[in-house]
Amino acid sequence: MSKRMTASDPVRLVKKTMLLGTGLLALWIGGMALTMPGEALQASLRGLAVWWEVLFPALFPFFVLSELLLGFGVVHLTGTLLDPLMRPLFRIPGVGGFVVAMGFASGYPVGARLTSRLMEQRLVNREEGERLVAMTTSSDPIFLIGAVCIGFFGRADIAPVMAAAHYGGAMLLGLALRGRGRTAEAGKPEASGASSPVLPEDGGRMRRALAAMHHARLADGRPFGVMLQDALESSIRLMIVVGGLVVFFSVALELLLHSGILSALRSGLGAVLGAIGLVPGLAEAVVQGSFEVTLGSRAAAEAAKTAPLIDQVAAGAFVLSWAGLSVHAQVAGLMSRTSWRYLPFLRARLLHAAFAVGLIYLLWPLLGPHGG
């Protein structure tokens, strides 16, 4: 008797294939590390330097600050104020506005960290959390402008079009994803699982927002000293996880480059880019950026000898919006205790990258170096 295929069977097959492929790739990288210990060590040191000199000072204060703001109820205050804006636009509760602001200001993976906390507190459901993580997995302005535009490209005049494409693409992504999920739950706070306190009806939205903040602070109940200690401890643990992932992907990319596999992938991608009218030299940026944002952005800037500036900037926007498998792993680690799913996030990253590239070419005459 034949078994009837259900809708979940293809999804299970994809998951099993991904798990098997990941396991085989990890085994192969481990074997490569044993045969090339010198290259693995140097790549580890480079990844450790990036974590200690760039990521730790950039992310650690935001991790601690976000924990304190959650404890003081500031998230509930902003959620009450922004609810009339976030729900109609993105079908996300008002607390998502706080995550969007913090995510855009501090960069990946802070948005994932805050979203995981909101999901653990049942302030957003799975569909809302997935949309929120997709929107807020973005570069911070300091890295985008300082490191990429000025540091790698050596041109501050491309910052407006790069920022508009990157953050505009994130907002377009939020609008594009608003139709996903269970429509019956849209606009209902209790559908997200939140136990909302009874708020005063009179006095305006600000009074209700302050009352929500007060109730959240009472519900937390921890003294400031305990709250600060908990914030420091949890942030340190998160930074260690982020550092480990950065080092691992740095080593993996270095070993793949030495093995020649990425060379074949780069050649094939270069042929595809040439067929659609782009410079094949941009394939280096796309391949390296698929693994790590910093390396991909630098490679896009180094394609100056072969590619026009607009194509270089488009490649950089693609890398920043795709975010690299290193960031994907960081987000997956931060969201591991929730019901969040990776495949919708993967599709969202590709869609964000496509939006960003399209916006580069669309906005270049207006915001580019030679725009009016």
Side-chain angles (χ1 to χ4, degrees):
M1 184 173 59
S2 61
K3 295 182 179 179
R4 180 179 297 178
M5 178 175 291
T6 63
S8 61
D9 288 341
V11 177
R12 292 175 181 173
L13 180 60
V14 170
K15 289 182 178 179
K16 290 180 180 179
T17 304
M18 290 180 62
L19 288 174
L20 179 61
T22 303
L24 293 175
L25 180 61
L27 180 63
W28 184 79
I29 291 175
M32 291 282 293
L34 293 176
T35 59
M36 294 187 293
E39 289 80 358
L41 177 60
Q42 293 301 317
S44 297
L45 292 175
R46 286 195 298 271
L48 186 62
V50 169
W51 174 73
W52 179 249
E53 297 173 5
V54 179
L55 295 180
F56 194 97
L59 294 180
F60 182 72
F62 282 100
F63 281 156
V64 175
L65 179 61
S66 63
E67 290 289 331
L68 293 177
L69 292 176
L70 282 166
F72 278 115
V74 175
V75 175
H76 297 74
L77 181 144
T78 57
T80 305
L81 292 176
L82 296 177
D83 196 70
L85 176 65
M86 296 298 294
R87 285 191 184 276
L89 284 179
F90 306 114
R91 286 184 58 212
I92 293 173
V95 291
F98 174 81
V99 181
V100 171
M102 290 289 290
F104 284 2
S106 52
Y108 20 64
V110 173
R113 171 57 178 165
L114 291 173
T115 303
S116 68
R117 290 298 309 275
L118 295 185
M119 293 180 70
E120 290 169 2
Q121 295 179 8
R122 300 180 61 81
L123 295 174
V124 296
N125 60 34
R126 185 177 71 176
E127 286 77 16
E128 293 164 346
E130 288 176 349
R131 289 196 294 270
L132 197 51
V133 172
M135 282 182 61
T136 57
T137 301
S138 61
S139 171
D140 64 277
I142 295 177
F143 179 76
L144 186 149
I145 298 173
V148 177
C149 296
I150 299 177
F152 297 155
F153 282 87
R155 301 193 58 147
D157 53 359
I158 66 171
V161 66
M162 182 79 82
H166 183 63
Y167 297 113
M171 301 302 288
L172 289 177
L173 178 65
L175 293 173
L177 297 179
R178 69 182 306 275
R180 291 184 62 250
R182 293 166 288 189
T183 56
E185 294 184 347
K188 297 181 179 179
E190 59 271 21
S192 299
S195 56
S196 302
V198 178
L199 302 180
E201 294 295 333
D202 56 342
R205 183 165 296 274
M206 177 56 71
R207 183 181 177 186
R208 294 197 298 273
L210 292 173
M213 176 180 176
H214 177 66
H215 283 289
R217 181 69 188 103
L218 292 178
D220 185 278
R222 291 175 296 171
F224 175 74
V226 176
M227 190 189 307
L228 179 60
Q229 180 179 346
D230 292 345
L232 291 172
E233 289 178 354
S234 63
S235 300
I236 286 290
R237 288 195 297 268
L238 286 174
M239 288 307 308
I240 292 175
V241 172
V242 170
L245 290 170
V246 170
V247 171
F248 170 77
F249 276 94
S250 177
V251 173
L253 180 59
E254 184 69 19
L255 294 176
L256 288 172
L257 287 171
H258 278 80
S259 68
I261 292 180
L262 290 188
S263 299
L265 179 60
R266 183 172 55 234
S267 300
L269 183 58
V272 173
L273 292 176
I276 61 177
L278 296 176
V279 177
L282 294 172
E284 181 72 26
V286 176
V287 169
Q288 294 199 28
S290 298
F291 289 86
E292 213 282 318
V293 174
T294 306
L295 295 177
S297 302
R298 182 185 292 115
E302 290 174 351
K305 296 180 179 179
T306 58
L309 180 61
I310 185 174
D311 293 340
Q312 290 178 258
V313 176
F318 177 90
V319 170
L320 287 173
S321 301
W322 163 252
L325 292 178
S326 177
V327 172
H328 289 213
Q330 295 172 33
V331 171
L334 292 171
M335 301 297 295
S336 60
R337 295 184 179 180
T338 69
S339 57
W340 175 87
R341 299 167 298 179
Y342 175 69
L343 287 180
F345 177 78
L346 178 65
R347 292 192 295 267
R349 298 272 46 83
L350 290 171
L351 189 57
H352 186 187
F355 281 151
V357 171
L359 286 174
I360 287 291
Y361 290 105
L362 181 65
L363 299 176
W364 189 262
L366 298 175
L367 301 177
H370 306 292

XYZ file of all heavy atoms in Angstrom, residues 169-223:
391
model
N 15.845 48.587 1.303
C 15.553 47.194 0.983
C 14.982 46.439 2.171
O 14.101 45.591 2.018
N 15.483 46.743 3.377
C 14.945 46.103 4.581
C 13.490 46.484 4.811
O 12.653 45.641 5.173
C 15.790 46.487 5.792
N 13.156 47.758 4.597
C 11.768 48.188 4.763
C 10.867 47.565 3.689
O 9.744 47.143 3.981
C 11.687 49.715 4.697
C 12.523 50.424 5.748
S 12.100 49.958 7.441
C 10.526 50.780 7.615
N 11.341 47.497 2.447
C 10.572 46.833 1.396
C 10.378 45.353 1.715
O 9.314 44.783 1.431
C 11.281 46.986 0.046
C 11.273 48.377 -0.585
C 12.080 48.370 -1.881
C 9.841 48.834 -0.861
N 11.392 44.743 2.308
C 11.274 43.340 2.704
C 10.173 43.171 3.742
O 9.371 42.227 3.661
C 12.611 42.853 3.258
C 12.649 41.419 3.771
C 12.427 40.435 2.628
C 13.987 41.137 4.457
N 10.127 44.085 4.728
C 9.075 44.007 5.730
C 7.691 44.125 5.119
O 6.753 43.417 5.506
N 7.541 45.015 4.132
C 6.260 45.159 3.455
C 5.925 43.922 2.616
O 4.770 43.494 2.554
C 6.281 46.400 2.560
C 6.374 47.755 3.283
C 6.547 48.877 2.267
C 5.134 47.995 4.138
N 6.941 43.342 1.995
C 6.706 42.171 1.150
C 6.318 40.949 1.978
O 5.562 40.088 1.505
C 7.958 41.864 0.329
N 6.827 40.864 3.200
C 6.562 39.698 4.042
C 5.316 39.846 4.898
O 4.960 38.904 5.615
C 7.764 39.430 4.961
C 9.085 39.076 4.291
C 10.167 38.866 5.331
C 8.935 37.826 3.432
N 4.661 40.995 4.855
C 3.538 41.219 5.764
C 2.362 40.290 5.468
O 1.508 40.072 6.340
C 3.065 42.663 5.690
C 2.394 43.063 4.405
C 1.985 44.530 4.397
N 1.169 44.871 5.543
C -0.151 44.695 5.596
N -0.781 44.150 4.565
N -0.825 45.042 6.661
N 2.305 39.725 4.268
C 1.218 38.819 3.936
C 1.421 37.405 4.427
O 0.506 36.584 4.357
N 2.626 37.096 4.926
C 2.902 35.745 5.415
C 2.320 35.561 6.815
O 2.183 36.483 7.575
C 4.408 35.482 5.479
C 5.085 35.378 4.141
C 6.534 35.025 4.305
N 6.705 33.726 4.947
C 7.164 33.558 6.182
N 7.489 34.617 6.917
N 7.305 32.364 6.704
N 1.999 34.311 7.137
C 1.546 34.004 8.486
C 0.037 33.864 8.558
O -0.682 33.926 7.558
N -0.431 33.718 9.761
C -1.852 33.471 9.999
C -2.589 34.795 10.091
O -2.451 35.533 11.057
C -2.029 32.669 11.293
C -1.484 31.261 11.183
C -1.345 30.613 12.536
N -0.232 31.197 13.291
C 0.215 30.692 14.421
N -0.331 29.610 14.929
N 1.216 31.271 15.058
N -3.396 35.069 9.085
C -4.090 36.349 9.033
C -5.098 36.503 10.152
O -5.444 37.609 10.534
C -4.817 36.491 7.684
O -5.709 35.372 7.516
C -3.824 36.481 6.539
N -5.574 35.411 10.714
C -6.560 35.518 11.784
C -5.981 36.154 13.029
O -6.698 36.655 13.877
C -7.107 34.136 12.134
N -4.642 36.130 13.144
C -4.014 36.673 14.337
C -3.601 38.110 14.169
O -3.095 38.726 15.085
C -2.777 35.843 14.704
C -3.128 34.422 15.121
C -1.899 33.670 15.567
O -0.778 34.172 15.321
O -2.022 32.601 16.149
N -3.752 38.645 12.956
C -3.267 39.989 12.714
C -4.034 40.991 13.541
O -5.253 40.978 13.618
C -3.409 40.336 11.233
N -3.291 41.888 14.162
C -3.870 42.987 14.896
C -4.385 42.637 16.263
O -5.019 43.459 16.916
N -4.144 41.403 16.751
C -4.623 41.004 18.064
C -3.436 40.747 18.976
O -2.721 39.765 18.799
C -5.475 39.731 17.962
C -6.738 39.927 17.130
C -7.554 38.650 17.093
C -8.822 38.818 16.284
N -9.609 37.568 16.223
N -3.187 41.587 19.981
C -2.052 41.381 20.853
C -2.098 40.050 21.559
O -1.092 39.396 21.749
C -2.146 42.560 21.834
C -2.978 43.582 21.154
C -3.921 42.834 20.300
N -3.297 39.599 21.962
C -3.363 38.363 22.707
C -3.029 37.165 21.840
O -2.685 36.105 22.357
C -4.744 38.167 23.341
C -5.893 38.133 22.330
C -6.449 39.504 22.052
O -5.729 40.499 22.310
O -7.583 39.618 21.572
N -3.109 37.308 20.507
C -2.748 36.193 19.638
C -1.272 35.911 19.689
O -0.835 34.821 19.387
C -3.175 36.492 18.199
N -0.470 36.885 20.041
C 0.959 36.680 20.154
C 1.336 36.058 21.479
O 2.510 35.814 21.737
C 1.688 38.028 19.998
O 1.417 38.565 18.748
N 0.400 35.842 22.340
C 0.709 35.186 23.596
C 1.008 36.129 24.708
O 1.359 35.715 25.796
N 0.939 37.433 24.507
C 1.297 38.366 25.546
C 0.160 38.499 26.540
O -1.002 38.572 26.186
C 1.604 39.734 24.934
N 0.489 38.516 27.808
C -0.488 38.766 28.851
C -0.492 40.253 29.139
O 0.274 40.749 29.955
C -0.129 37.964 30.100
O 1.178 38.262 30.513
N -1.350 40.988 28.424
C -1.327 42.444 28.489
C -1.975 42.920 29.773
O -3.040 42.430 30.165
C -2.068 43.039 27.283
O -1.475 42.591 26.092
N -1.354 43.882 30.476
C -1.966 44.443 31.667
C -3.128 45.344 31.295
O -3.272 45.783 30.156
C -0.811 45.250 32.295
C 0.032 45.634 31.135
C -0.052 44.481 30.178
N -3.982 45.609 32.278
C -5.100 46.514 32.070
C -4.564 47.938 32.102
O -4.048 48.407 33.120
C -6.180 46.319 33.151
C -7.319 47.298 32.939
C -6.691 44.878 33.137
N -4.665 48.654 30.983
C -4.115 49.990 30.857
C -5.230 51.022 30.929
O -6.373 50.739 30.550
C -3.359 50.135 29.530
C -2.210 49.152 29.304
C -1.563 49.410 27.964
C -1.195 49.219 30.430
N -4.938 52.209 31.410
C -5.969 53.248 31.498
C -6.449 53.656 30.117
O -5.661 53.784 29.176
C -5.246 54.405 32.202
C -3.798 54.170 31.950
C -3.630 52.677 31.915
N -7.740 53.861 29.986
C -8.318 54.239 28.710
C -8.228 55.736 28.453
O -8.205 56.175 27.310
C -9.786 53.801 28.644
C -9.975 52.281 28.658
C -9.396 51.607 27.430
O -9.321 52.277 26.379
O -9.009 50.435 27.520
N -8.191 56.523 29.528
C -8.147 57.967 29.358
C -6.710 58.453 29.515
O -5.846 57.736 29.975
C -9.053 58.649 30.381
C -8.700 58.258 31.815
O -8.015 57.220 31.974
O -9.092 58.975 32.744
N -6.468 59.692 29.131
C -5.149 60.276 29.310
C -4.254 60.185 28.110
O -3.122 60.645 28.149
N -4.701 59.539 27.026
C -3.902 59.495 25.821
C -2.971 58.303 25.773
O -2.794 57.543 26.739
N -2.350 58.132 24.592
C -1.475 56.987 24.374
C -0.218 57.051 25.220
O 0.291 56.012 25.666
C -1.115 56.902 22.884
C -0.262 55.694 22.519
C -0.245 55.462 21.037
N -1.580 55.127 20.555
C -2.076 53.887 20.564
N -1.360 52.889 21.053
N -3.279 53.654 20.088
N 0.306 58.249 25.490
C 1.507 58.347 26.297
C 1.268 57.819 27.709
O 2.116 57.126 28.273
C 1.997 59.795 26.340
C 3.225 60.009 27.224
S 4.638 58.951 26.768
C 5.124 59.724 25.227
N 0.105 58.118 28.281
C -0.181 57.616 29.620
C -0.277 56.095 29.615
O 0.214 55.424 30.529
C -1.481 58.231 30.134
C -1.809 57.808 31.573
C -3.108 58.412 32.051
N -3.429 57.948 33.390
C -4.549 58.221 34.021
N -5.471 58.976 33.430
N -4.780 57.760 35.233
N -0.905 55.538 28.594
C -0.978 54.083 28.496
C 0.397 53.472 28.307
O 0.690 52.400 28.835
C -1.903 53.682 27.344
C -3.364 54.074 27.568
C -4.285 53.307 26.631
N -4.010 53.599 25.235
C -4.561 54.617 24.572
N -5.381 55.461 25.189
N -4.284 54.808 23.306
N 1.256 54.148 27.550
C 2.612 53.641 27.341
C 3.397 53.642 28.653
O 4.118 52.680 28.961
C 3.326 54.487 26.290
N 3.286 54.716 29.429
C 3.978 54.768 30.714
C 3.434 53.714 31.680
O 4.190 53.119 32.455
C 3.844 56.166 31.321
C 4.590 57.285 30.575
C 4.237 58.642 31.169
C 6.099 57.050 30.622
N 2.124 53.491 31.631
C 1.537 52.460 32.486
C 2.044 51.077 32.091
O 2.332 50.233 32.959
C 0.018 52.520 32.400
N 2.189 50.821 30.774
C 2.719 49.533 30.319
C 4.156 49.353 30.771
O 4.560 48.254 31.188
C 2.630 49.456 28.791
N 4.941 50.423 30.716
C 6.328 50.359 31.191
C 6.371 50.061 32.690
O 7.181 49.240 33.147
C 7.032 51.686 30.879
C 8.440 51.783 31.396
S 9.196 53.387 30.986
C 10.777 53.238 31.807
N 5.492 50.690 33.458
C 5.460 50.482 34.905
C 5.078 49.043 35.237
O 5.711 48.397 36.090
C 4.467 51.457 35.535
C 4.310 51.280 37.013
N 5.336 51.537 37.911
C 3.244 50.859 37.759
C 4.921 51.289 39.143
N 3.653 50.876 39.075
N 4.070 48.507 34.568
C 3.653 47.126 34.816
C 4.778 46.146 34.457
O 4.989 45.153 35.171
C 2.402 46.803 34.008
C 1.143 47.367 34.596
N 0.574 46.881 35.758
C 0.329 48.366 34.185
C -0.532 47.555 36.038
N -0.692 48.475 35.098
N 5.480 46.411 33.354
C 6.570 45.524 32.953
C 7.708 45.554 33.963
O 8.314 44.519 34.270
C 7.080 45.920 31.563
N 7.999 46.737 34.499
C 9.072 46.846 35.506
C 8.690 46.095 36.782
O 9.520 45.408 37.388
C 9.329 48.326 35.824
C 10.443 48.532 36.846
C 11.790 48.164 36.257
N 12.852 48.170 37.265
C 13.353 47.070 37.806
N 12.892 45.873 37.446
N 14.319 47.142 38.702
N 7.436 46.207 37.197
C 6.982 45.485 38.383
C 7.007 43.976 38.148
O 7.360 43.199 39.049
C 5.571 45.932 38.760
C 5.421 47.372 39.271
C 3.952 47.678 39.562
C 6.273 47.602 40.518
N 6.651 43.567 36.924
C 6.661 42.138 36.621
C 8.076 41.572 36.625
O 8.282 40.412 37.006
C 5.998 41.893 35.266
N 9.048 42.373 36.201
C 10.435 41.921 36.221
C 10.931 41.786 37.665
O 11.423 40.735 38.081
C 11.315 42.885 35.435
C 12.751 42.410 35.317
O 13.528 42.623 36.268
O 13.099 41.829 34.272
N 10.827 42.866 38.412
C 11.072 42.814 39.843
C 12.521 42.761 40.294
O 12.780 42.808 41.501
N 13.479 42.668 39.416
C 14.879 42.553 39.840
C 15.443 43.921 40.215
O 15.176 44.910 39.523
C 15.731 41.970 38.711
C 15.473 40.527 38.379
C 16.277 40.099 37.164
N 15.861 40.828 35.961
C 16.503 40.789 34.793
N 17.598 40.055 34.681
N 16.062 41.474 33.758
N 16.232 43.995 41.279
C 16.946 45.250 41.565
C 17.922 45.565 40.437
O 18.321 44.683 39.662
C 17.681 44.949 42.879
C 17.003 43.757 43.451
C 16.472 42.970 42.296
